[in-house]
Amino acid sequence: MSKVNFGNVNDIGGQTVISGIASGFDTKAIIDGLKAAKEIPIKQLEDTISINDKKNKAFHDFKEKVEIFQEAANFLRNVPSMDKTLNSFNGRKVVMTTDCSQPIDNYIDVFADKGSDLANYSLQVISIAKAHARQSQTFTSQTTSVTEAAGGITSGLFSEGIFQINGIDVDLKAGDRLIEIKSAINAVSSSSVVTESIVQVSATDYRLVLRSNNTGIANSINITDASNVVSDVTFSNLQTPADATFNLNGIPITRSSNIISDVIQNVTFTLKQPTDAGKYGYLSINNDVEATKLAIKNFVGAYNDVALFVSKQQELDEDFKYKESAVLGNDSTLRLISSKIMTEMSSYVKGITSSFITIGEVGLAFIEYEGDDENPHTNNILRIDDAILDNVLATQYENVRRVFEFDFRSSSKTIANTGRTNALNTTAFSLDIDTSRAAGDQVRVTYHNGVTNVTINADYDGTTTSGAITGQKNTVLDGLSMIYVGDGTDNVSVTLTQGIADKLYNYLKDISKPGGDIELAIKSINDINTKYAEEVKKKKSDLDDYVEKLKSQFGRVEQMISSFNSTIMFLQAQTNASNNK
């Protein structure tokens, strides 16, 4: 008898399926093959999502390095702020010498804030300021009462009541001991500016000591005692108050404190003891060259970190294909940013005619880096020539400054810079300010375009005597903002240069800010991954439905073949029965 009859027991999709019982087909193999074909585009999408996740992380790492580079540039660019500490070139170092018998710091300490004037001073300390101190008579104990009832007249005892120290009430109670009196006085110390202490001279000698919190004659201790609270207790001077007296460059000066910050702007003197008779301390406030060099080193290091990151992302293997780790190798955003950074780093400063105009002239040179175990071969790595940098910082500090920072020079103090962008496109102009003119014409700007003088307007927002001046879009002053404080009519000449660090900072800020190029690249990757993830989810759902459909279809085939076999067997049986008659 002929019939199809081969069977297999298999697992398909987690279900046990008896396949090919009637047909002899390997149903599992057929379904697995068809399923695998459908899984290929799903796997391709999942692989793309995985690669995009790596790109996403790489861009976040890149953004972090760019922000570090931006911050390093910020310290060299001359931040438009009243806070001079933000500019490394404003750092100051004080050099002190003396012809006295002891080291200079035994007599004087000097601190110069960033931005203080470079200058030399001679300082002779005549006397130092002293705080007023008064001591009481002797008391035999600090734990027994020294305060009698109000109106008492016992010698050596306080009386209950209120007295004043420098006009501030102090309230004593009958029975108060030295400890309670000290507490009562110190409770108002922040207002009276006097502090009380108990000094134990011996086992039977305790004294109250009043000391002014501030030095100087003007801070003497004054006790007012209308109720005779302290009149029966004797107080004597322990230290007479005194002002500090000193000569600065031969000028006699007196101050109530030994810490003096109101004689030279942004400079603080601390007087410790009088200098030897006829002797002086000599002070020189210089540029802090070491701090500036460190800031330049940080700038170079931050740039090199960015350059090495880009190099790793463009690293090729032996077949000249991007390495698996170079996930941003073909990314146009990374290439554009890298190219722009290199352009700014190798550019020259416009407007400077008599000194350095590139970072190469101050000892920063681009080299070809051979690479190491961690970093690939990289072109345009920066290297510092310490000898050149040290020399130019020591001898041409201001010229080095202008290579890096934004330099704004005005013929009048009525104008100051408050901001700028890289859209700025002039290095010299004049302002004709008349706030009484019609809006839009209050500020006229004249500059030379290389052929002739051109006059345009800048925007003005303010009162008749003060306001903000802003360069208009698509003009040479685009991105420049200034503050004006004057009498309403002024003519001001301005020259400016925009150094490498300033232009780099502006560019790096633009690309790393919310909505900047780096964030847009990350968003684009995330949007693509979100779309692909939805596609993967749908394709997997469709695939599950497809597999179920195949199983159903093959089941029906098995049923048809089984029915066909049954028919064959029936007919064969009928034929056999007929032949046996």
Side-chain angles (χ1 to χ4, degrees):
M1 180 178 66
S2 298
K3 68 174 182 176
V4 180
N5 189 21
F6 301 95
N8 295 294
V9 179
N10 295 298
D11 180 83
I12 300 177
Q15 299 181 11
T16 300
V17 178
I18 301 175
S19 62
I21 292 177
S23 65
F25 298 155
D26 188 348
T27 305
K28 179 181 184 302
I30 295 172
I31 293 177
D32 284 348
L34 294 170
K35 180 182 178 183
K38 293 282 188 179
E39 285 177 331
I40 291 174
I42 295 176
K43 179 65 166 56
Q44 290 173 336
L45 287 173
E46 289 178 331
D47 288 346
T48 301
I49 291 172
S50 177
I51 292 172
N52 282 346
D53 285 340
K54 294 177 181 178
K55 289 182 178 180
N56 192 318
K57 183 181 183 305
F59 263 121
H60 277 96
D61 292 344
F62 181 57
K63 184 172 184 287
E64 182 178 331
K65 293 183 182 298
V66 165
E67 289 173 341
I68 293 172
F69 187 24
Q70 175 190 336
E71 186 64 14
N74 190 44
F75 280 100
L76 293 172
R77 76 182 186 102
N78 189 12
V79 178
S81 169
M82 295 301 292
D83 185 0
K84 299 300 183 181
T85 64
L86 298 176
N87 186 352
S88 293
F89 284 101
N90 284 335
R92 297 293 182 259
K93 183 177 182 180
V94 180
V95 178
M96 301 190 299
T97 59
T98 186
D99 53 5
C100 293
S101 58
Q102 301 177 44
I104 182 62
D105 52 11
N106 285 354
Y107 302 94
I108 308 162
D109 270 342
V110 180
F111 178 78
D113 291 332
K114 284 188 173 183
S116 56
D117 292 337
L118 305 178
N120 298 311
Y121 303 100
S122 63
L123 181 62
Q124 182 183 37
V125 182
I126 307 301
S127 63
I128 62 170
K130 296 180 180 180
H132 192 191
R134 300 181 68 181
Q135 67 174 345
S136 73
Q137 64 187 58
T138 296
F139 295 92
T140 58
S141 172
Q142 63 176 334
T143 57
T144 59
S145 173
V146 293
T147 309
E148 59 186 343
I153 57 172
T154 304
S155 178
L157 293 181
F158 296 94
S159 297
E160 180 175 10
I162 296 174
F163 71 102
Q164 289 80 34
I165 298 179
N166 292 341
I168 304 301
D169 287 350
V170 178
D171 191 359
L172 301 187
K173 304 297 183 183
D176 279 352
R177 302 166 297 175
L178 293 183
I179 293 174
E180 282 82 26
I181 295 173
K182 169 189 169 184
S183 296
I185 292 173
N186 287 343
V188 295
S189 177
S190 60
S191 301
S192 68
V193 200
V194 172
T195 300
E196 176 84 84
S197 61
I198 300 173
V199 176
Q200 181 179 352
V201 179
S202 67
T204 57
D205 185 352
Y206 294 87
R207 304 177 193 181
L208 290 174
V209 175
L210 295 170
R211 185 176 296 276
S212 175
N213 296 344
N214 297 323
T215 56
I217 296 172
N219 297 304
S220 298
I221 300 171
N222 296 303
I223 297 176
T224 306
D225 187 22
S227 300
N228 294 321
V229 174
V230 299
S231 60
D232 294 320
V233 176
T234 302
F235 280 89
S236 59
N237 272 340
L238 187 62
Q239 179 169 277
T240 302
D243 291 331
T245 58
F246 57 98
N247 295 327
L248 183 67
N249 285 358
I251 301 173
I253 300 173
T254 299
R255 289 293 185 272
S256 63
S257 173
N258 292 314
I259 301 175
I260 302 156
S261 58
D262 63 346
V263 173
I264 303 296
Q265 187 175 14
N266 298 320
V267 178
T268 300
F269 300 97
T270 300
L271 310 183
K272 297 180 177 181
Q273 65 172 318
T275 50
D276 298 350
K279 305 297 183 180
Y280 293 83
Y282 301 98
L283 321 172
S284 180
I285 300 177
N286 303 320
N287 291 310
D288 193 342
V289 173
E290 291 83 0
T292 300
K293 183 177 180 181
L294 178 60
I296 293 173
K297 278 188 170 183
N298 290 338
F299 175 80
V300 170
Y303 162 77
N304 284 342
D305 283 346
V306 171
L308 288 172
F309 177 90
V310 173
S311 184
K312 287 181 180 179
Q313 292 300 320
Q314 296 175 346
E315 189 175 7
L316 304 177
D317 60 19
E318 295 80 0
D319 298 323
F320 299 100
K321 295 180 179 180
Y322 288 116
K323 285 190 172 183
E324 185 177 348
S325 58
V327 293
L328 299 179
N330 279 320
D331 189 87
S332 60
T333 298
L334 184 70
R335 288 181 180 274
L336 177 63
I337 292 173
S338 174
S339 175
K340 181 63 175 176
I341 289 174
M342 188 59 208
T343 297
E344 296 294 354
M345 290 291 289
S346 56
S347 65
Y348 70 93
V349 183
K350 297 179 181 178
I352 299 178
T353 58
S354 60
S355 64
F356 310 131
I357 59 173
T358 68
I359 59 175
E361 293 174 292
V362 299
L364 277 58
F366 290 104
I367 64 167
E368 182 177 349
Y369 175 60
E370 293 300 325
D372 54 29
D373 293 338
E374 296 183 1
N375 299 299
H377 175 277
T378 305
N379 292 319
N380 297 321
I381 287 293
L382 267 182
R383 182 184 65 188
I384 296 176
D385 187 317
D386 287 306
I388 294 176
L389 182 58
D390 290 345
N391 179 61
V392 295
L393 284 174
T395 61
Q396 302 186 63
Y397 192 86
E398 289 302 311
N399 291 336
V400 177
R401 173 200 288 264
R402 297 184 75 192
V403 170
F404 289 95
E405 72 171 33
F406 182 84
D407 184 64
F408 184 92
R409 303 187 183 192
S410 167
S411 63
S412 170
K413 292 183 178 180
T414 60
I415 290 290
N417 173 246
T418 56
R420 64 272 177 177
T421 69
N422 289 353
L424 181 62
N425 193 29
T426 186
T427 59
F429 58 90
S430 63
L431 297 172
D432 173 9
I433 302 169
D434 187 344
T435 57
S436 67
R437 289 196 290 251
D441 192 35
Q442 293 162 302
V443 179
R444 297 172 183 171
V445 181
T446 301
Y447 68 96
H448 197 274
N449 67 0
V451 178
T452 187
N453 286 334
V454 178
T455 299
I456 59 175
N457 287 112
D459 294 330
Y460 182 77
D461 182 17
T463 67
T464 56
T465 57
S466 65
I469 299 175
T470 307
Q472 295 180 353
K473 288 286 186 182
N474 302 316
T475 70
V476 293
L477 292 192
D478 190 350
L480 183 68
S481 57
M482 297 165 283
I483 189 72
Y484 168 70
V485 179
D487 59 12
T489 56
D490 279 287
N491 288 282
V492 183
S493 297
V494 175
T495 59
L496 57 85
T497 56
Q498 193 166 17
I500 305 299
D502 191 64
K503 296 191 74 173
L504 271 167
Y505 173 87
N506 293 335
Y507 175 67
L508 297 174
K509 180 181 178 182
D510 282 343
I511 64 173
S512 60
K513 69 183 181 182
D517 290 351
I518 297 177
E519 187 176 277
L520 290 176
I522 293 172
K523 183 179 183 300
S524 176
I525 293 170
N526 289 338
D527 289 346
I528 290 172
N529 270 8
T530 298
K531 176 184 175 183
Y532 285 175
E534 292 173 354
E535 289 186 28
V536 167
K537 182 178 179 181
K538 185 178 185 305
K539 287 181 181 293
K540 284 186 174 181
S541 177
D542 292 344
L543 180 58
D544 290 341
D545 293 342
Y546 177 66
V547 170
E548 290 300 319
K549 183 178 180 180
L550 289 176
K551 287 159 58 177
S552 176
Q553 289 174 339
F554 275 98
R556 288 197 298 272
V557 169
E558 291 295 330
Q559 289 175 356
M560 291 172 61
I561 294 175
S562 177
S563 177
F564 178 70
N565 282 342
S566 295
T567 300
I568 292 175
M569 291 175 66
F570 174 76
L571 292 175
Q572 186 67 48
Q574 292 295 320
T575 301
N576 290 341
S578 175
N579 290 336
N580 290 332
K581 288 183 178 180

